[in-house]
């Protein structure tokens, strides 16, 4: 996947709920940071009524009053809540990070046309997701021969964070 200098890289981690995607991404963020790579994360969710603002707080009150967007700035952090009529394309969200990060790790976006790493936990499901294109690797705590439908792509164990980072960075 090389080409880190100049062009922003993005890869999505896919898998069933509770497969370990978030834990793996958090470990990769730390590994990338130790290498001086600035990482952004975009999480996709299908939960329709998800709220990040707390009922009764100012941002919640502004949104409830009808604000289309609410931004909060605190000590060098910006939080933006914006109502949309449909899902915002991944490319638009990636543009938000423009110039600030070297690599974006996404969670979800199973159908997006970006490289994907599938995370499989036998406790959740013993095989790969169907109809996924762009899969570049599989990560699991079980060997590939114990899983069903694993394609001919590089395989990593959940603890192989350094090796997965090397692979994603083309090293």
């Amino acid at each position: 996947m090389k080409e880190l200098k100049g062009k922003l890289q993005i890869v999505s981690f896919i898998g069933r709920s509770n497969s370990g995607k978030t834990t793996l991404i958090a470990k990769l963020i730390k590994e990338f940071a130790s290498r001086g790579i600035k990482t952004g994360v975009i999480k996709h969710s299908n939960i329709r009524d998800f709220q990040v603002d707390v009922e009764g707080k100012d941002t919640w009150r502004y949104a409830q009053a009808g604000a289309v967007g609410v931004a909060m700035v605190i000590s060098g952090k910006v939080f933006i809540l914006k109502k949309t009529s449909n899902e915002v394309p991944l490319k638009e969200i990636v543009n938000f990070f423009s110039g600030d990060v070297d690599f974006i790790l996404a969670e979800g976006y199973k159908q997006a046309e970006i490289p994907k790493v599938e995370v499989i936990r036998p406790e959740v499901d013993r095989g790969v997701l169907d109809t996924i294109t762009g899969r570049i690797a599989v990560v699991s705590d079980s060997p590939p021969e114990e899983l069903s439908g694993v394609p001919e792509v590089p395989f990593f164990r959940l603890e192989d964070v350094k090796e997965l980072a090397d692979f994603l960075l083309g090293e």
Side-chain angles (χ1 to χ4, degrees):
M1 272 196 76
K2 199 63 174 174
E3 200 183 310
L4 196 58
K5 295 292 182 213
K7 186 172 183 222
L8 177 65
Q9 298 292 307
I10 181 170
V11 65
S12 186
F13 288 76
I14 61 170
R16 291 180 173 78
S17 185
N18 296 317
S19 61
K21 300 179 299 290
T22 300
T23 301
L24 181 59
I25 290 170
K27 289 178 180 179
L28 276 169
I29 293 167
K30 287 180 182 179
E31 179 62 27
F32 281 3
S34 75
R35 299 177 187 204
I37 297 168
K38 296 180 286 183
T39 308
V41 179
I42 301 171
K43 179 173 173 70
H44 183 268
S45 177
N46 290 323
I47 300 171
R48 297 280 180 218
D49 61 350
F50 177 77
Q51 294 291 322
V52 293
D53 48 351
V54 178
E55 185 173 342
K57 294 293 186 180
D58 295 349
T59 55
W60 179 86
R61 290 178 59 204
Y62 299 145
Q64 293 303 307
V68 174
V70 178
M72 184 158 183
V73 181
I74 305 171
S75 304
K77 297 177 185 174
V78 177
F79 300 90
I80 299 175
L81 304 171
K82 180 180 175 187
K83 294 179 183 178
T84 60
S85 58
N86 52 15
E87 188 166 315
V88 177
L90 179 60
K91 185 176 182 176
E92 286 184 37
I93 299 168
V94 168
N95 287 339
F96 178 76
F97 288 105
S98 179
D100 295 331
V101 300
D102 303 310
F103 208 107
I104 292 180
L105 301 174
E107 184 176 335
Y109 292 100
K110 294 174 189 163
Q111 304 309 321
E113 293 183 19
I114 56 175
K116 298 170 192 77
V117 173
E118 185 166 0
V119 182
I120 304 170
R121 293 297 283 273
E123 306 85 53
V124 177
D125 192 10
R126 297 200 68 79
V128 297
L129 296 168
D130 295 335
T131 68
I132 298 299
T133 60
R135 188 184 290 112
I136 61 169
V138 171
V139 177
S140 181
D141 52 1
S142 286
E145 56 272 8
E146 292 181 14
L147 304 169
S148 64
V150 176
E152 294 289 326
V153 296
F155 180 87
F156 300 91
R157 308 239 346 139
L158 284 168
E159 62 272 5
D160 295 340
V161 177
K162 288 182 186 338
E163 294 83 356
L164 179 57
D166 288 345
F167 169 74
L168 295 175
L169 297 171
E171 296 179 355

